[in-house]
Amino acid sequence: MEYIDIILYPNNNISIDDICKTMNIFIQEGLTKFWGNSEWSLEQIKEAIKLCKKQNLIPPTVGLFKYNLFNFEILNSDFSDLIKNNKYGIIVYLSDSYLIENELDNNNMKESIIDFDFNKNNVIEKLKIYAKNNFNCNINQLINSYTIKNGNINACLLKNSNIDDFDNNIKVLEIYKKIDDNKIIEIEN
């Protein structure tokens, strides 16, 4: 391999200045074409872009985030501005949403999976019924379809570790095609 297309740097305790300078060297030496971040806060991303512009370095161009119906902070209005004003792309991964139904069935939802009050107004039960009645699917498939419908997302990583995952993702893509603006409003309400 001659180079890596994109290096995604994780959120850790190394200074943003050092990260930006290192990634710039990697690009200049032809080791990568682009760099981005993984699970950085909006403030960290803005700081990196500002620092890169000030020091004439190549800024991050993409971020990898966990995103789904219950964890959608990354695409709030501030992130939308970042995306539009800085040619910044968003990649999301959906592995956690595959755990939702199993965790819910076992009454064992962990806060680390999704930060949401599931008992409030029976949200999960309502979504399960909505998924079945409107798309003949399960809640995981509905959540993933809703997620990739977001126009600010440039790429989505779907779990594919076995044939069941593959079949599930085919169903997700079929549902995705059926979700229109009215369905988005229904799901969010």
Side-chain angles (χ1 to χ4, degrees), residues 34-69:
F34 306 98
W35 79 277
N37 54 64
S38 176
E39 297 292 342
W40 284 20
S41 70
L42 177 61
E43 292 76 27
Q44 290 172 307
I45 298 165
K46 285 181 175 181
E47 181 182 342
I49 291 170
K50 183 178 177 181
L51 190 142
C52 287
K53 287 179 180 179
K54 183 178 178 182
Q55 296 184 22
N56 201 27
L57 304 172
I58 299 168
T61 56
V62 67
L64 174 67
F65 302 93
K66 175 172 60 176
Y67 174 83
N68 61 45
L69 181 59

Side-chain angles (χ1 to χ4, degrees), residues 59-112:
T61 56
V62 67
L64 174 67
F65 302 93
K66 175 172 60 176
Y67 174 83
N68 61 45
L69 181 59
F70 303 114
N71 182 20
F72 51 85
E73 178 185 318
I74 64 151
L75 295 177
N76 66 24
S77 60
D78 292 336
F79 264 95
S80 294
D81 290 343
L82 175 77
I83 292 163
K84 291 175 192 169
N85 298 331
N86 294 285
K87 297 181 182 176
Y88 185 83
I90 299 289
I91 301 170
V92 298
Y93 63 94
L94 304 175
S95 59
D96 287 346
S97 61
Y98 285 91
L99 302 174
I100 291 171
E101 193 159 25
N102 293 335
E103 294 291 333
L104 287 168
D105 289 343
N106 296 327
N107 291 321
N108 191 28
M109 182 56 71
K110 300 174 187 171
E111 286 184 28
S112 63

Side-chain angles (χ1 to χ4, degrees), residues 160-178:
N160 260 332
S161 59
N162 58 47
I163 193 68
D164 290 336
D165 289 341
F166 180 78
D167 290 342
N168 185 58
N169 288 332
I170 296 298
K171 180 75 171 179
V172 165
L173 295 174
E174 290 170 356
I175 297 163
Y176 160 82
K177 293 176 187 176
K178 297 176 185 176

